[in-house]
Amino acid sequence: METEQRRGVVSSAPVATASSAVGGAKIPRQQLWVEEPAIRRRMPDPVRGSAVRAVLIMSLTIIQAMVAFLCTLAGSWLAFPMVLSSVGSTVVATWSVLDVWITRQVWNQRNGVVSVPSSSARQLRRERRRARRAARAAQRDDARIRRRGAGSLSRA
């Protein structure tokens, strides 16, 4: 506990106490599960799904390449088909990694960027909002002028 405090790790979980058999003294015990805030935001579901797929495909490709290599060293008849399928798996694994990148880009385009104070997207939205408000105000003013002026024209 003291080393954690020296390192700057402070747990926000309450400390449970248990009484010992001798003298009933309280012994502080830390809880088993401590919730800590996430450092990074969670990936969107479609991006996470494609990332999991890519990791699985890449791991299988690496295993397949290793088997092909060992079959080649052993002089097995299976070496040639394994090398061919490893080449195909490498192409599929490359596409799966590209799929993660493409899915992430599509998700960002559809759902917008995370707005942080230095984001240029926030400034663009402010400018668009100001322009829309100014257009609506001008439209209201034009409508008022037309209504006011319609009944007060001279009939001479």
Side-chain angles (χ1 to χ4, degrees):
M1 183 97 172
E2 290 176 18
T3 57
E4 289 176 352
Q5 287 177 348
R6 268 190 255 130
R7 284 187 291 177
V9 177
V10 180
S11 107
S12 61
V15 176
T17 57
S19 50
S20 67
V22 181
K26 303 277 184 178
I27 301 171
R29 282 192 297 168
Q30 197 170 15
Q31 285 185 346
L32 183 62
W33 188 264
V34 178
E35 288 285 334
E36 293 181 1
I39 296 172
R40 296 178 64 182
R41 290 175 54 104
R42 182 175 163 158
M43 275 195 290
D45 287 341
V47 178
R48 192 165 359 106
S50 64
V52 168
R53 246 189 333 269
V55 167
L56 290 174
I57 290 171
M58 286 182 57
S59 62
L60 289 175
T61 301
I62 291 171
I63 291 169
Q64 190 175 11
M66 182 59 78
V67 169
F69 176 72
L70 292 175
C71 285
T72 304
L73 287 180
S76 171
W77 63 270
L78 196 58
F80 185 67
M82 287 297 290
V83 168
L84 287 180
S85 64
S86 292
V87 170
S89 296
T90 304
V91 171
V92 172
T94 304
W95 174 252
S96 68
V97 171
L98 282 175
D99 181 46
V100 174
W101 182 70
I102 291 168
T103 307
R104 187 174 148 268
Q105 295 297 326
V106 167
W107 193 90
N108 281 337
Q109 283 181 353
R110 288 185 182 161
N111 299 300
V113 297
V114 176
S115 185
V116 292
S118 63
S119 175
S120 59
R122 178 178 283 184
Q123 184 64 32
L124 289 173
R125 282 197 304 264
R126 274 192 200 130
E127 290 171 6
R128 278 192 229 121
R129 241 183 269 131
R130 281 187 199 127
R132 280 195 304 261
R133 282 187 197 134
R136 275 183 284 183
Q139 217 173 15
R140 279 195 305 265
D141 290 344
D142 287 347
R144 266 191 227 127
I145 291 171
R146 280 193 216 111
R147 276 184 299 201
R148 231 184 292 152
S152 63
L153 290 176
S154 64
R155 300 188 187 240

